[in-house]
Amino acid sequence: MDQNSRREQHHNKKHKHLGLKITLAVVALLVIGVGTVFGMMWHQTRSTLNNIYDNDGGKQDTTIKKTKPFSILLLGADTGADGRISRGNSDTIMVVTVNPNTHKTLIYSVARDTMAEMVGTKSLNVQKLNAAYNIGEAKMAKASVTKLLNVPINHYAAINMGGLEKVVDAVDGVTIDTAIDVTFDGTTISKGKHHLNGKQALAYARMRYEDPRGDYGRQMRQQQVMMAVLKKLMTPSGITKYSSLMKTLEPYLRTDITLDDAVKLGTDYRSNLDNVTSKQLTEKSATINGSSYQVPSTETLQSVSDTLRTQLGLSKATLSNQNTRLNKLNAAFFNDESSTSYDTDGAVTKYYTNTTY
């Protein structure tokens, strides 16, 4: 067995329980707004929002209140399945930018293994981006993504994978059309159009190694299922699922979106559902300290930053962070397609090592 096969086998075993691979958080937020506007289950809505609300003691953001373009960091944590009870890593990471002026919504998926600085530690700590949520909760996750892309993150929503199966079942399943056969943990969805229940949707969203596109293919399936759920909820029959969905989401979702902001999402931002674009941060694989990382080039990071800032109505700005500094030291890595050697100059730390916060 070659080194790559052994590494893949190791990752398959270690990450069999890879977390929620669908951003139902955005579905939850929009449904909360729509349900509120329709006046359905007001007391249930207020109770649920109070229970899931958590801004980590920070200052309340007023961007949505002022009907301005805003961003939400969506996190899917690997908690709630296979017996995991810790906060977990955010194995799904998406930056959603919503512009009420252009009526456009842009979703950018970022790989869980993206090399990034953990912003908020007392000493320099560079490691996989999905560790930020586990180390410093939403506050560190937001700050780390902001530093990586030079884009302000106004809000976050985090949902753990334990809720995926129940949420899909709460809306009586979703219909998807898959271009490939998908098999995960004993469940197979063959190529073609299918109506999936919660268990099947979870399997469809979790498969990674068997997809020819790897994690990028998995990210597209995450977004595909998310949009299938969202579109179903926007129909008249979908609205009737509101109460059961709210009750289902409560144990699994945390967000710093207030009830007033949820109402605004359902009124002033509703047209953004008609113009949604999904993209991915493309990266190159590297082996660092014996672990597999995804490393985006400076040109790619700058392009993504420019796109997101433009979407938010902000001027473009030259990106400067630990990634750009390390990339400058590794020009040969990006010039040689076969190279996996990346020099971090001691910046990448072993997981949790020397982490003070």
Side-chain angles (χ1 to χ4, degrees):
M1 183 181 294
D2 59 25
Q3 183 177 0
N4 289 334
S5 296
R6 286 195 299 270
R7 184 181 299 116
E8 181 167 319
Q9 185 181 62
H10 170 71
H11 279 284
N12 270 312
K13 182 178 179 181
K14 182 177 181 182
H15 296 295
K16 181 181 179 183
H17 54 269
L18 281 174
L20 171 65
K21 296 304 167 189
I22 174 176
T23 53
L24 286 171
V26 70
V27 174
L29 294 176
L30 291 170
V31 157
I32 287 168
V34 172
T36 301
V37 171
F38 278 85
M40 300 179 64
M41 305 300 177
W42 174 262
H43 295 294
Q44 174 66 34
T45 302
R46 182 177 294 278
S47 173
T48 298
L49 261 295
N50 288 338
N51 289 335
I52 69 176
Y53 179 72
D54 175 26
N55 72 342
D56 197 26
K59 184 178 179 181
Q60 196 172 101
D61 188 276
T62 60
T63 307
I64 294 177
K65 183 179 180 180
K66 296 178 180 178
T67 321
K68 292 183 177 181
F70 71 95
S71 62
I72 304 177
L73 177 64
L74 303 179
L75 305 170
D78 60 354
T79 308
D82 302 322
R84 296 183 65 113
I85 58 175
S86 63
R87 178 162 60 246
N89 299 322
S90 54
D91 281 345
T92 294
I93 304 170
M94 292 188 186
V95 178
V96 177
T97 50
V98 182
N99 191 317
N101 302 316
T102 62
H103 307 293
K104 293 180 179 180
T105 297
L106 175 61
I107 304 173
Y108 245 108
S109 293
V110 182
R112 57 188 289 278
D113 293 339
T114 300
M115 184 187 73
E117 179 183 353
M118 303 292 102
V119 178
T121 58
K122 291 184 178 179
S123 58
L124 178 61
N125 185 352
V126 177
Q127 52 183 277
K128 296 180 181 181
L129 183 59
N130 71 336
Y133 181 62
N134 203 335
I135 296 172
E137 303 186 27
K139 183 178 181 180
M140 182 175 290
K142 290 169 66 177
S144 298
V145 171
T146 292
K147 188 72 171 180
L148 177 69
L149 300 175
N150 192 24
V151 173
I153 301 297
N154 301 108
H155 294 284
Y156 87 94
I159 187 170
N160 69 57
M161 64 174 287
L164 173 59
E165 184 173 337
K166 294 180 180 179
V167 167
V168 173
D169 284 338
V171 297
D172 294 335
V174 294
T175 299
I176 59 93
D177 193 351
T178 174
I180 62 172
D181 292 339
V182 174
T183 299
F184 188 87
D185 203 20
T187 298
T188 297
I189 297 95
S190 58
K191 181 179 178 181
K193 196 171 185 178
H194 302 276
H195 189 76
L196 307 183
N197 60 27
K199 181 180 180 181
Q200 292 169 324
L202 178 60
Y204 184 73
R206 292 175 77 183
M207 190 187 83
R208 176 185 182 187
Y209 292 102
E210 292 80 5
D211 193 312
R213 299 165 296 174
D215 195 46
Y216 297 107
R218 181 172 59 175
Q219 290 173 17
M220 294 307 295
R221 280 181 277 113
Q222 297 166 16
Q223 296 180 0
Q224 183 185 10
V225 178
M226 178 193 75
M227 293 309 300
V229 175
L230 180 57
K231 288 179 180 179
K232 188 170 184 180
L233 287 167
M234 293 303 104
T235 64
S237 62
I239 293 297
T240 66
K241 307 297 181 184
Y242 178 72
S243 180
S244 61
L245 180 60
M246 292 298 293
K247 292 177 181 178
T248 300
L249 280 172
E250 188 172 319
Y252 306 104
L253 177 66
R254 292 293 177 270
T255 181
D256 59 358
I257 296 285
T258 66
L259 179 60
D260 288 342
D261 285 343
V263 173
K264 292 281 286 186
L265 286 177
T267 54
D268 298 345
Y269 293 86
R270 192 178 181 189
S271 61
N272 282 80
L273 294 176
D274 298 325
N275 193 348
V276 180
T277 302
S278 299
K279 296 187 177 184
Q280 298 165 301
L281 174 64
T282 57
E283 308 177 61
K284 184 178 178 182
S285 297
T287 301
I288 303 173
N289 293 346
S291 296
S292 178
Y293 281 75
Q294 292 296 308
V295 181
S297 69
T298 297
E299 291 74 18
T300 296
L301 285 173
Q302 186 65 63
S303 177
V304 173
S305 177
D306 291 345
T307 299
L308 290 173
R309 290 182 66 87
T310 298
Q311 164 73 354
L312 291 172
L314 303 173
S315 59
K316 299 177 182 179
T318 301
L319 195 64
S320 178
N321 54 29
Q322 286 298 323
N323 287 71
T324 62
R325 181 182 73 84
L326 292 174
N327 285 348
K328 190 174 182 180
L329 298 175
N330 289 273
F333 169 78
F334 295 102
N335 293 331
D336 183 356
E337 292 185 1
S338 63
S339 175
T340 60
S341 178
Y342 189 91
D343 181 13
T344 64
D345 195 27
V348 172
T349 64
K350 187 176 180 181
Y351 199 69
Y352 295 129
T353 299
N354 299 324
T355 301
T356 304
Y357 53 92

